[in-house]
Amino acid sequence: MKVYYSETHRKHEPLFEIFDGGLRVPYLENPDRMDRILKALRATDWADILEPNDFGLDPIYTVHDKDYVDFLASSWTEWLASDAMDKSTLLPATFALRRTPQKPTSLLGRAGYYMMDLSACIVEGTYQAALASANCALNAAEAVANGARAAFALCRPPGHHAGKDYAAGYCFINNAAVAANWLSTKGSVALLDIDYHCGNGTQDIFYERADVLTISIHADPNFEYPYYAGYATETGSGAGLGFHKNMPLEKGTDNERYLSALEEALVLIRKFAPAYLVLSAGMDIYADDPLGTIKVTTAGIGEIGRRISALDLPTVIVMEGGYNNDALGRNVVEFLSAFQ
Ligand code: SP5
Ligand code: ZN
């Protein structure tokens, strides 16, 4: 299996994030995650690890607002030129509500306009890393469009919380959405998100579209991040009505309950009969994930892979979350093995 991976992710290494209550903790979405996955992939006899080609900015501008991408591109330089006291990380302390917010020109004003929370920390190499990550997804999409059964985009930073014009939850550019949108010019696409958290950014991006079916299975946002999207009542709008599905799950969901939700999602995908499948493959559904409350085991992750693989669709697998670094390599290999 072709695996697209770029070392450029190392340029994005925030030192901390802010948890609930203001607790400053080491950044969970760290480069070590990739090292663990690479080590496990290199121990297999099927992973062909490749450097991605650069697709340029056009496929990104078709998913994200240009103003937002410009903000990602210039914010670090502007931050260094500002009079902030601690310049280790660009993080605002004021956030814009999406009612009718004005867009200020000041850097911290724009940061609060374009960020949803205190975990999408911007540092010197964030933009470059986010572009390389999106290119991994685009290369995997191209491999699948060219006939591969499946390809894996080992993306870091992840993408599914990033919307058209905002960064959130460790995500800056929505890699899976960029791949799905690129593929949608060649045929219909189903995008299934199995990360523990609702793929709110992906939901926003495709909400009014009927050519990309989006389904997200995740912890109920009534108690879990991202809180403001991911409810079962959200089903798309306009032409996209009926082409989005949220499947919120309770705390403690085990293999059996997870797999029964997955079967419901697979029925919808079969009915839609897409030309391509894109997976937002977060591993934070794992029972011992530090951010998760869902209790899927490594064997469960393998079974999820096999059930999805049985759809027999050309599949782009995009790395999202997963923060138990000790288990991450084994969980990813277990999942990908199903697509061999
Ligand atoms: C891609 C992805 O998985 N992003 C997840 C971002 C979640 N950030 C919210 C963190 C909320 C902190 N709550 C701490 C609970 C620890 N038990
Ligand atoms: Zn997640």
Side-chain angles (χ1 to χ4, degrees):
M1 184 188 300
K2 287 184 161 62
V3 173
Y4 291 96
Y5 168 76
S6 168
E7 282 285 311
T8 307
H9 77 84
R10 292 189 201 283
K11 294 180 185 291
H12 172 64
E13 191 176 2
L15 295 175
F16 67 89
E17 63 186 291
I18 309 290
F19 265 13
D20 312 313
L23 187 69
R24 207 186 234 236
V25 298
Y27 206 63
L28 259 77
E29 199 289 285
N30 50 48
D32 180 55
R33 298 177 60 242
M34 297 295 106
D35 292 331
R36 303 300 190 102
I37 296 168
L38 284 168
K39 187 170 179 223
L41 287 172
R42 289 192 178 118
T44 71
D45 60 2
W46 48 257
D48 183 13
I49 301 169
L50 302 163
E51 185 74 27
N53 293 318
D54 185 5
F55 276 58
L57 288 171
D58 285 350
I60 291 163
Y61 289 150
T62 53
V63 165
H64 294 284
D65 288 359
K66 186 174 180 303
D67 280 2
Y68 166 65
V69 179
D70 288 348
F71 163 76
L72 293 178
S74 69
S75 55
W76 184 255
T77 313
E78 290 180 62
W79 183 231
L80 291 186
S82 76
D83 57 6
M85 277 165 60
D86 177 351
K87 296 181 190 171
S88 60
T89 301
L90 167 57
L91 210 53
T94 308
F95 297 94
L97 296 176
R98 289 297 195 261
R99 286 167 190 158
T100 49
Q102 302 288 325
K103 194 195 295 180
T105 59
S106 66
L107 175 62
L108 281 167
R110 276 179 297 141
Y113 185 88
Y114 288 125
M115 289 173 171
M116 178 173 154
D117 56 54
L118 295 169
S119 67
C121 304
I122 291 180
V123 294
E124 182 171 11
T126 299
Y127 180 57
Q128 259 182 292
L131 289 178
S133 191
N135 276 310
C136 289
L138 283 162
N139 278 255
E142 185 178 56
V144 165
N146 288 339
R149 160 77 181 87
F152 181 44
L154 180 46
C155 292
R156 179 178 181 273
H160 76 149
H161 295 305
K164 287 175 189 162
D165 65 349
Y166 59 90
Y170 313 140
C171 303
F172 303 89
I173 292 173
N174 194 317
N175 309 308
V178 168
N181 184 60
W182 184 88
L183 278 172
S184 74
T185 62
K186 303 177 189 304
S188 59
V189 180
L191 195 164
L192 173 63
D193 190 326
I194 61 162
D195 185 278
Y196 168 76
H197 304 94
C198 164
N200 61 293
T202 307
Q203 174 174 332
D204 282 357
I205 288 163
F206 296 111
Y207 208 62
E208 300 194 338
R209 285 174 59 170
D211 59 329
V212 180
L213 171 71
T214 49
I215 304 177
S216 182
I217 308 174
H218 48 252
D220 192 333
N222 196 44
F223 71 82
E224 185 55 272
Y225 180 92
Y227 297 115
Y228 312 109
Y231 297 80
T233 49
E234 299 156 355
T235 57
S237 69
L241 188 62
F243 294 91
H244 180 75
K245 172 94 173 167
N246 284 320
M247 306 181 68
L249 302 173
E250 292 149 45
K251 284 182 190 174
T253 294
D254 61 8
N255 287 350
E256 194 187 346
R257 291 172 65 133
Y258 192 95
L259 289 166
S260 82
L262 178 67
E263 283 304 330
E264 211 184 306
L266 298 181
V267 168
L268 296 175
I269 295 171
R270 281 194 196 92
K271 193 166 148 226
F272 185 69
Y276 303 104
L277 178 65
V278 176
L279 296 177
S280 267
M283 295 294 143
D284 37 10
I285 51 174
Y286 178 59
D288 292 319
D289 192 278
L291 285 185
T293 62
I294 282 180
K295 301 297 171 197
V296 171
T297 62
T298 300
I301 287 170
E303 183 59 19
I304 292 167
R306 288 187 290 279
R307 304 257 183 122
I308 297 172
S309 180
L311 289 170
D312 206 21
L313 290 166
T315 303
V316 181
I317 305 162
V318 180
M319 191 69 215
E320 299 284 359
Y323 309 99
N324 183 324
N325 292 12
D326 286 335
L328 197 49
R330 141 170 109 249
N331 285 340
V332 167
V333 165
E334 186 70 19
F335 185 73
L336 294 181
S337 300
F339 295 85
Q340 276 306 111

